[in-house]
Amino acid sequence: MIAHRAYVHDETAHLFPYVTSGCLVASDVQVARAVARRLHETDPLVLLAVALSVRAVREGQVCLLLDRVNDVALSGDSDRDGASAPALPPVDEWVRRLSASAVVHVAGFEAPASPRPLVLDGDRLYLDRYWCFELVVARQLLDRAGARGGLFDDQFLVEARADGYFGAEELRDPQRLAIFRALTRPLTVISGGPGTGKTRTIAQLLHQAQSFAELSDKTLKPALAAPTATAAKRMTLALQQESKTGETGETAPGTSTVISTLQATTLHRLLGVDSTGGFIHNRRNPLAHDLVVVDEASMVSLPLFARLLEAVRPEASLVLVGDPFQLESVEAGAVLGEIVGNSLERRQDGAIDETIVHLERQHRFRLSSPLAKFADAIRTGQTDKAIEILATARSEELQWIRNSEEEEVLSHRVAASAIAVIDAARRGDAKNALEILADLKIICATRHGLRGVQRWSSRVEQLVKIAHPEFIGDNAWYIGRPIIVNRNDYLNRLFNGDSGVVVDLGKPTAVFSEASEVRSVPLARLREIDTWWAMTIHKSQGAEFENVIVSLPEPPSPVLSRELLYTAVTRAKRSVSIVASEESLRAAIGHPSERFSGLSARLRVRTS
């Protein structure tokens, strides 16, 4: 307890029980202390509200819901001293005390001369900057949803050409509708799960946009972006494959070249980061692009969404693509989920709902696919159905590993794949080594623990050593070591999430796949990398693998959630093996993540 008291000073001594219960950490308390000292706030309930608001953002929430504050304050870390935090007053008492405080701005009243750290908006309490971010996102989205125009004004011509492209009998085809809206409106949201044709729709959109630009004697200026380098690279490769296979339909002159040469980038690189850490492109210096397509939009945080929306010109077309049921951003907000909301169930009669197109037809798996049914049961929270599908699956497409004997068999399968990688790397066959690595991947909910990343990596190397006694896994740069980059490295053109392998090219050299080529990087130039026999589910988001092994810890584990398991299962193109107990699966599927914000309400009821 002495360690905790080191950062609980006189001004914030009343927060000590919340520290010992695990509810608050040092950074939460220090922000409350700074408010107390600089703004002379003495009300203990207000200072607790400051600390809880900081905690909320730290955990991915945009705001603190006052009617749920007891749930938050009393749900600390059970490993901490066994203490519990004191019960808190009802909502009306919070509102009364906060409204009277000089550090709180009450929304709806005249803004104070200088910003205040907290904003009270109904029963939602925000840190000021996140309230501002939410207002910006809501206003920008509603302005775009209510506007007309877009890339092309002649909607009749666009529709006529779409009829010719898709066929008149497919007038209600969701892909056709998504493309039509993206060409004629400033905002389109394309929502869909894995294998529903999101990439193909983007490729067809680019095809049609280029065709209309040529007809109109215009120069199309598109931009493709994603929140992470991994997702951007996958988007680029997927679009290039579409253009090569011809599956995008008819090919207009020059169109396949446009698609195949476009390179997706991260949102940060698209917006440009200046020397102060801000963005180069903003409301005063907007992007020059007339079509901006953002893939994996579920991973974009609220602050980044606000910056993006301000940087896209009002007359440009913005297309957001993603699966709202996947894991949200690791930072605050779940904007795509707030936009889509429950529009699947309700009649689309609001401006924002009219921008949303759901792609539901499954192209990757057959309708009877147990993997597709399992993923859908997870997504919809049907725990018993998901367990039944998994337990009765009789194909290699979906397997449930439930005991130590089955896990041992699976471990040897993984080891055989690892040995094949190492053998290819020793032969200097970089392309084959990378292909084998991408064929089978272990993804884990945690880094540590019995079923975490580190334990799986250690198990793989031990089994390889049994099969090949000469294998020296203790050498940090052994031939065949798979590696993953943990931080952007612009000098070497390597980005967080990029993966490669150490290959014998006369000397140990790291190789990475780049489009259809293999690029080598000297080992001495690598920084911030890990061994990549296994990876976390969060790290895997935006990537795809042929076969996936999903490893979950036992409950209670705070990381287990419906979105986590759904994201893990949908990383697979061909098969999934689940290493988890029934208790773990039930804990995950029965625990949907909650991101508190007011964005969905603002998007459906426009306020002045």
Side-chain angles (χ1 to χ4, degrees):
M1 290 195 179
I2 294 175
H4 302 319
R5 289 197 180 279
Y7 55 82
V8 179
H9 300 271
D10 290 343
E11 303 93 334
T12 53
H14 64 285
L15 300 181
F16 182 58
Y18 301 95
V19 174
T20 56
S21 70
C23 173
L24 299 177
V25 298
S27 57
D28 308 331
V29 175
Q30 290 302 327
V31 173
R33 184 187 181 216
V35 169
R37 288 199 161 190
R38 296 181 185 179
L39 300 178
H40 310 294
E41 178 59 64
T42 59
D43 187 330
L45 193 61
V46 173
L47 294 177
L48 174 59
V50 173
L52 290 174
S53 297
V54 175
R55 167 189 159 144
V57 170
R58 177 168 54 80
E59 295 186 340
Q61 313 295 345
V62 176
C63 64
L64 185 68
L65 288 186
L66 294 179
D67 62 355
R68 297 283 301 276
V69 73
N70 265 299
D71 297 340
V72 174
L74 301 180
S75 62
D77 185 344
S78 59
D79 294 334
R80 299 280 288 274
D81 298 338
S84 59
L88 296 170
V91 176
D92 56 354
E93 177 67 9
W94 277 98
V95 171
R96 185 183 67 80
R97 301 265 288 273
L98 290 167
S99 299
S101 172
V103 304
V104 179
H105 165 51
V106 180
F109 290 84
E110 183 178 354
S114 58
R116 296 178 179 180
L118 294 181
V119 177
L120 180 63
D121 194 338
D123 63 351
R124 297 189 295 268
L125 185 66
Y126 296 80
L127 294 180
D128 174 72
R129 66 194 304 261
Y130 286 89
W131 183 71
C132 292
F133 285 141
E134 187 173 281
L135 292 183
V136 167
V137 170
R139 184 182 66 250
Q140 291 279 349
L141 288 173
L142 286 170
D143 285 348
R144 285 185 170 276
R148 289 296 177 260
L151 276 176
F152 304 101
D153 296 328
D154 194 338
Q155 295 194 21
F156 294 105
L157 178 60
V158 173
E159 191 160 13
R161 282 183 61 85
D163 291 348
Y165 186 79
F166 287 93
E169 71 278 3
E170 298 185 58
L171 291 179
R172 298 178 64 82
D173 181 86
Q175 289 188 352
R176 174 197 180 282
L177 178 61
I179 293 168
F180 174 73
R181 287 184 175 175
L183 293 175
T184 58
R185 295 188 180 186
L187 175 66
T188 303
V189 180
I190 302 175
S191 164
T196 54
K198 296 190 296 295
T199 300
R200 184 172 299 179
T201 302
I202 295 173
Q204 291 173 339
L205 167 61
L206 293 170
H207 171 91
Q208 292 294 310
Q210 180 64 24
S211 297
F212 278 111
E214 291 173 354
L215 280 175
S216 308
D217 198 26
K218 294 181 179 179
T219 301
L220 182 68
K221 293 178 286 186
L224 306 177
T228 67
T230 300
K233 180 177 288 187
R234 192 186 67 80
M235 184 185 190
T236 300
L237 289 173
L239 288 173
Q240 289 176 351
Q241 289 169 0
E242 286 286 341
S243 67
K244 288 177 183 177
T245 60
E247 291 180 350
T248 55
E250 297 177 11
T251 303
T255 298
S256 61
T257 302
V258 169
I259 295 175
S260 63
T261 56
L262 271 177
Q263 295 286 321
T265 186
T266 64
L267 284 170
H268 282 81
R269 298 200 82 184
L270 176 68
L271 297 176
V273 179
D274 62 25
S275 58
T276 66
F279 290 117
I280 295 171
H281 293 289
N282 49 43
R283 186 174 62 255
R284 292 179 295 277
N285 179 33
L287 294 162
H289 306 285
D290 50 18
L291 172 62
V292 178
V293 181
V294 180
D295 197 14
E296 298 289 353
S298 65
M299 299 168 65
V300 184
S301 67
L302 177 71
L304 187 54
F305 242 116
R307 302 309 189 202
L308 170 68
L309 289 167
E310 288 190 315
V312 178
R313 291 179 295 117
E315 63 272 21
S317 289
L318 175 63
V319 181
L320 306 175
V321 185
D323 185 346
F325 301 102
Q326 288 188 17
L327 282 168
E328 309 94 340
S329 164
V330 295
E331 298 178 48
V335 178
L336 184 67
E338 297 277 1
I339 295 172
V340 175
N342 63 348
S343 58
L344 279 168
E345 287 78 31
R346 68 162 161 262
R347 182 169 61 91
Q348 294 191 0
D349 54 2
I352 196 68
D353 288 334
E354 290 178 359
T355 69
I356 303 165
V357 180
H358 298 287
L359 303 182
E360 296 178 334
R361 181 183 172 190
Q362 179 60 246
H363 299 280
R364 181 182 300 173
F365 301 104
R366 64 190 186 281
L367 292 177
S368 60
S369 161
L371 179 52
K373 289 181 177 179
F374 181 57
D376 192 59
I378 296 169
R379 177 181 64 81
T380 54
Q382 299 180 73
T383 305
D384 290 337
K385 183 178 179 180
I387 297 294
E388 180 184 0
I389 292 169
L390 187 57
T392 58
R394 294 292 181 266
S395 72
E396 293 184 357
E397 188 178 288
L398 182 63
Q399 295 183 326
W400 190 3
I401 310 301
R402 283 186 277 184
N403 56 56
S404 57
E405 290 80 10
E406 292 174 337
E407 194 166 338
E408 185 68 18
V409 171
L410 184 65
S411 297
H412 283 282
R413 175 189 167 197
V414 173
S417 175
I419 290 169
V421 171
I422 293 169
D423 289 344
R426 287 174 173 175
R427 295 193 305 270
D429 191 345
K431 184 176 181 181
N432 191 29
L434 289 167
E435 287 175 350
I436 298 171
L437 268 175
D439 183 72
L440 177 64
K441 188 54 54 185
I442 306 164
I443 56 177
C444 310
T446 60
R447 289 190 58 82
H448 307 286
L450 292 175
R451 290 183 178 153
V453 169
Q454 293 184 355
R455 181 61 66 91
W456 270 105
S457 293
S458 176
R459 181 186 303 177
V460 169
E461 292 180 348
Q462 288 172 5
L463 289 173
V464 170
K465 193 166 187 177
I466 292 172
H468 289 284
E470 75 281 5
F471 172 72
I472 307 176
D474 296 335
N475 179 0
W477 294 114
Y478 62 81
I479 301 299
R481 179 194 179 192
I483 52 179
I484 186 167
V485 178
N486 290 326
R487 180 175 295 181
N488 292 341
D489 180 356
Y490 296 103
L491 181 64
N492 291 306
R493 289 187 293 120
L494 294 173
F495 303 97
N496 187 10
D498 281 357
S499 56
V501 62
V502 179
V503 176
D504 186 357
L505 299 179
K507 62 179 180 179
T509 305
V511 296
F512 298 85
S513 60
E514 190 170 275
S516 58
E517 301 177 352
V518 173
R519 184 166 67 91
S520 62
V521 178
L523 299 181
R525 295 173 65 179
L526 295 179
R527 300 287 186 275
E528 300 287 341
I529 58 100
D530 273 335
T531 301
W532 191 54
W533 294 120
M535 68 193 305
T536 62
I537 296 171
H538 279 86
K539 196 86 166 181
S540 75
Q541 194 169 3
E544 289 180 337
F545 307 99
E546 291 297 319
N547 306 286
V548 167
I549 296 170
V550 178
S551 182
L552 300 181
E554 289 298 312
S557 172
V559 304
L560 289 174
S561 72
R562 183 182 302 169
E563 291 76 12
L564 184 88
L565 181 57
Y566 175 77
T567 299
V569 169
T570 55
R571 296 311 88 208
K573 293 182 180 180
R574 190 191 310 161
S575 75
V576 171
S577 297
I578 305 291
V579 183
S581 66
E582 181 174 336
E583 291 75 17
S584 293
L585 291 168
R586 289 188 176 277
I589 300 170
H591 179 229
S593 67
E594 276 188 295
R595 290 285 175 102
F596 300 144
S597 86
L599 181 59
S600 182
R602 296 185 200 281
L603 292 176
R604 267 96 195 169
V605 181
R606 187 162 192 173
T607 56
S608 58

